[in-house]
Amino acid sequence: QVQLVESGGGLVQAGGSLRLSCAASGFAFAENDMGWYRQRPGRQRVMIASISPNGWTWYDGNRKGRFTTARDNAKSTVYLQMDDLKPEDTAVYYCNALSQYSSNWFPKYDAWGQGTQVTVST
């Protein structure tokens, strides 16, 4: 079955950096677009970055220039390098494979991982 295991979160001061990892299994990782999602308390999960099978990337406006996503298809792992972190980046971060429908992207699998908590202090 599909498994997504996020790791690498923690507590960091504003301006600091973290590198998140997401190890995937149970599907053809190398053939799938992968997305990173953020969920703040009481808010919906929203996509903040994505990467195609051949490495094309997308970032939402608030993360562009500060976050970088990469993937290692041999390890079925996707990464999110987070630099110049801000208190508003505090959230639980998840990954999922992506499906495209009518020019929009959606999480492909219902089985989300446990996420990894990122807390940025002032």
Side-chain angles (χ1 to χ4, degrees):
Q1 72 273 23
V2 171
Q3 280 195 313
L4 299 160
V5 180
E6 300 90 353
S7 62
L11 173 63
V12 64
Q13 286 189 326
S17 297
L18 286 172
R19 188 192 193 210
L20 308 184
S21 299
C22 169
S25 61
F27 64 97
F29 177 86
E31 298 174 10
N32 279 268
D33 291 81
M34 295 296 296
W36 281 98
Y37 289 77
R38 180 192 75 179
Q39 187 169 26
R40 293 175 174 171
R43 302 276 190 95
Q44 283 190 327
R45 202 171 292 169
V46 295
M47 190 166 72
I48 59 165
S50 68
I51 184 166
S52 71
N54 62 1
W56 288 99
T57 56
W58 168 87
Y59 305 93
D60 79 352
N62 291 329
R63 252 59 61 179
K64 197 171 185 178
R66 298 192 298 119
F67 290 10
T68 304
T69 188
R71 64 192 296 160
D72 185 336
N73 288 337
K75 295 182 178 179
S76 296
T77 300
V78 61
Y79 304 97
L80 185 67
Q81 176 68 39
M82 311 166 73
D83 297 318
D84 189 24
L85 282 160
K86 304 178 186 300
E88 53 264 40
D89 294 319
T90 295
V92 180
Y93 287 77
Y94 301 87
C95 71
N96 205 324
L98 300 175
S99 293
Q100 187 179 22
Y101 179 75
S102 188
S103 301
N104 292 313
W105 292 91
F106 301 92
K108 191 170 189 176
Y109 298 111
D110 293 331
W112 293 87
Q114 81 289 350
T116 187
Q117 174 72 49
V118 171
T119 303
V120 184
S121 63
T122 55

